[in-house]
Amino acid sequence: QAKRKGKSCYQWFQERFEQQMLARLYMEKGLREAIANNHLVLHYQPIVDLVTGTAVGLEALVRWQHPERGLAFPDQFMSVAEESGLIVDMGQWVLRAACQFGKELLDNGKELNLAVNVSVKELLQADFVDQVALVLSETAFPSRYLELEIVETLLIENFSVAIPKLRALRSIGVQISLDDFGTGYSSLHYLTELPIDIIKIDRSFLAGAMESNKQAAIVETMVALAHRLQLTVVAEGVETEEQRQFLKQLCCDKVQGYLISKPVDQAKVYELI
Ligand code: C2E
Ligand code: MG
Ligand code: MG
Ligand code: MG
């Protein structure tokens, strides 16, 4: 009896494993086609200056416009993109599309920074810096308007390889943001050595800051620390007026979140700004 049960249990896992593998392969195939067939779209979320209250930048966020299944969000496909290496091609597409849009806005008199998320796999490509320079020149988008956002944890795990790349990017005029700041554990140790311009406080800190004095103290300290290091600080995930006021009091530089706007498509950007 036990033996039979054990065997069926094994079979069950085996089948589940195979199903998951197939689903992943299927997703990978779909994603590859989506990149080739231009089924990706960028949505843009405004980043607002806390003093003037005006939009000074946009963060480009990728979506997969599936012909049958509708709009898919990064949490549904980013892990497959990362693990399969498709993130490299996807990242190239995203960078080019964002720079093209940034240039279009400039030509219409809208001077906005464009923030583009970059995965560490992309950054570690041997020719990444050259590719960025190429896209900037081909789209005629001035490098000073481009910000590349890199997630803190992954950057620190690849510290020694990443540093020279970040330096090279900054030397061509691109700004570097440390995304999801505070979610890593060794951040303070490395913070002084990272060649960065901007810190983005992860939204998990904001969420708790209104309920707990201790959480509020952490946000306050992050803003102060960033300023001591002469970095610009952006708070992500600002959803309430109360949070915005709190950040304004702390002299946080910029905010981004549903309070101002959800990420919107290209056409809506013109209505917003
Ligand atoms: P992220 O770079 O930290 O982007 C912020 C995420 O928070 C976005 O989710 C945005 O829609 C969401 N968000 C903004 N304001 C609020 C708010 O007030 N409340 C809440 N609850 N959420 C808010 P999204 O677009 O689903 O993207 C998730 C993550 O996927 C991004 O986090 C980024 O790490 C990654 N990602 C998105 N686009 C790209 C891309 O083109 N390339 C790469 N490598 N990663 C990307
Ligand atoms: Mg980001
Ligand atoms: Mg973030
Ligand atoms: Mg994030």
Side-chain angles (χ1 to χ4, degrees):
Q1 174 73 31
K3 208 174 166 186
R4 248 197 12 240
K5 201 172 167 193
K7 191 179 169 194
S8 72
C9 216
Y10 171 75
Q11 271 173 352
W12 185 79
F13 277 120
Q14 179 79 9
E15 277 162 25
R16 258 192 73 89
F17 181 69
E18 279 166 11
Q19 275 167 15
Q20 281 175 357
M21 287 287 288
L22 275 175
R24 263 191 122 67
L25 278 174
Y26 188 70
M27 163 87 81
E28 191 181 320
K29 185 170 172 284
L31 202 52
R32 182 169 286 120
E33 288 165 2
I35 298 166
N37 299 328
N38 250 318
H39 288 164
L40 299 177
V41 290
L42 290 183
H43 282 185
Y44 295 91
Q45 188 176 37
I47 300 171
V48 163
D49 183 300
L50 257 179
V51 175
T52 63
T54 56
V56 288
L58 298 170
E59 179 172 3
L61 296 155
V62 71
R63 278 90 180 88
W64 175 2
Q65 182 71 65
H66 196 281
E68 288 115 45
R69 277 175 283 163
L71 205 61
F73 288 79
D75 62 327
Q76 295 167 272
F77 59 82
M78 210 43 93
S79 64
V80 171
E82 291 267 0
E83 283 157 29
S84 63
L86 284 170
I87 189 75
V88 175
D89 285 343
M90 183 187 278
Q92 279 293 311
W93 183 91
V94 168
L95 182 65
R96 188 171 292 271
C99 288
Q100 270 163 358
F101 186 49
K103 172 71 169 125
E104 185 187 307
L105 290 167
L106 275 180
D107 290 345
N108 284 290
K110 313 283 181 201
E111 206 177 312
L112 293 165
N113 281 0
L114 254 289
V116 174
N117 293 284
V118 171
S119 82
V120 165
K121 225 175 201 164
E122 291 173 73
L123 182 69
L124 298 186
Q125 295 290 303
D127 61 348
F128 182 72
V129 180
D130 294 338
Q131 289 298 327
V132 172
L134 186 69
V135 170
L136 285 167
S137 80
E138 285 179 356
T139 57
F141 188 52
S143 60
R144 66 179 180 280
Y145 296 112
L146 180 65
E147 297 172 3
L148 295 180
E149 299 194 355
I150 301 161
V151 172
E152 183 201 16
T153 37
L154 297 173
L155 194 55
I156 284 160
E157 282 166 23
N158 299 278
F159 191 72
S160 58
V161 197
I163 297 300
K165 302 240 184 197
L166 298 183
R167 290 219 176 92
L169 287 164
R170 287 179 91 204
S171 75
I172 62 169
V174 173
Q175 297 181 68
I176 308 293
S177 292
L178 198 56
D179 205 349
D180 298 354
F181 179 70
T183 56
Y185 42 88
S186 40
S187 48
L188 296 183
H189 178 67
Y190 288 96
L191 203 53
T192 54
E193 291 175 49
L194 285 170
I196 55 169
D197 305 282
I198 303 154
I199 275 179
K200 296 189 83 171
I201 299 178
D202 191 69
R203 70 176 148 87
S204 58
F205 292 96
L206 256 287
M210 297 301 103
E211 278 82 54
S212 139
N213 285 334
K214 288 181 183 171
Q215 293 262 39
I218 288 180
V219 175
E220 188 178 341
T221 306
M222 282 174 158
V223 174
L225 177 67
H227 285 161
R228 282 296 296 272
L229 297 173
Q230 296 185 317
L231 301 169
T232 298
V233 54
V234 183
E236 293 189 293
V238 178
E239 295 183 353
T240 67
E241 185 52 39
E242 194 189 5
Q243 288 173 334
R244 200 182 67 90
Q245 286 304 331
F246 168 69
L247 291 159
K248 201 168 176 176
Q249 272 173 24
L250 300 184
C251 298
C252 177
D253 302 294
K254 299 172 189 175
V255 287
Q256 178 182 358
Y258 293 169
L259 175 69
I260 293 120
S261 167
K262 289 199 169 186
V264 295
D265 64 29
Q266 218 163 291
K268 285 242 178 62
V269 169
Y270 281 100
E271 294 170 26
L272 278 178
I273 56 173

